[in-house]
Amino acid sequence: MPWSETLIMLLTVVVTVWTGNLALGVLAGVIVAMMLFARRIAHVIHAERQLSEDGESVRYTVRGPLFFASSNDLFEHFDYAHDPKNVIIDSTHAQIWDASSVAALDGIEYRYQRYGAQVTIEGLDNRSTDFHRRSTGNFGLHFS
């Protein structure tokens, strides 16, 4: 049995016995299970960098779920200082799940702007495009 499942089971039993309340034990187990799940899938973000033949642009193909736990990981996949002035983020294989992902994309664009680069985000599905359009620029969050 994986250690994470063992931990959840033991926590559920301990909280249930300690409080005498099965509902609290199950609640504690569910909360820890959600945290472990988020931690596990937070690091499945991949951004493949491909420089154009003429060296004038770079394309990052992002793969994986974009949500609160993966936002910082996404931010670290870019080579801000060394990329050319035209940056394309291809999100065909990614989906925005929450506002923190939009804030991360805003932060990426902001950081590239500090280097004089223009960012184009393409390939988002309809739901993600709509969410990004409605939310971008509304958070005031900028990563350094």
Side-chain angles (χ1 to χ4, degrees), residues 8-9 11-30:
I8 294 165
M9 181 181 62
L11 177 69
T12 302
V13 170
V14 167
V15 171
T16 300
V17 170
W18 183 53
T19 63
N21 187 334
L22 177 61
L24 289 178
V26 170
L27 179 63
V30 167

Side-chain angles (χ1 to χ4, degrees), residues 47-51 57-62 73-89 108-109 111-119:
E48 182 180 314
R49 183 180 186 269
Q50 183 177 9
L51 189 62
S57 66
V58 65
R59 172 181 292 273
Y60 286 91
T61 303
V62 178
D73 196 36
L74 173 66
F75 191 77
E76 300 300 324
H77 280 83
F78 297 88
D79 191 4
Y80 302 94
H82 301 106
D83 279 341
K85 301 297 182 206
N86 185 19
V87 179
I88 301 164
I89 300 175
I108 290 166
E109 287 186 76
R111 188 153 183 197
Y112 271 117
Q113 287 173 357
R114 289 176 38 201
Y115 286 101
Q118 175 66 35
V119 176

Side-chain angles (χ1 to χ4, degrees), residues 90-110:
D90 180 359
S91 302
T92 303
H93 306 287
Q95 186 178 40
I96 294 176
W97 287 7
D98 63 11
S100 63
S101 301
V102 175
L105 290 171
D106 285 353
I108 290 166
E109 287 186 76
Y110 175 76

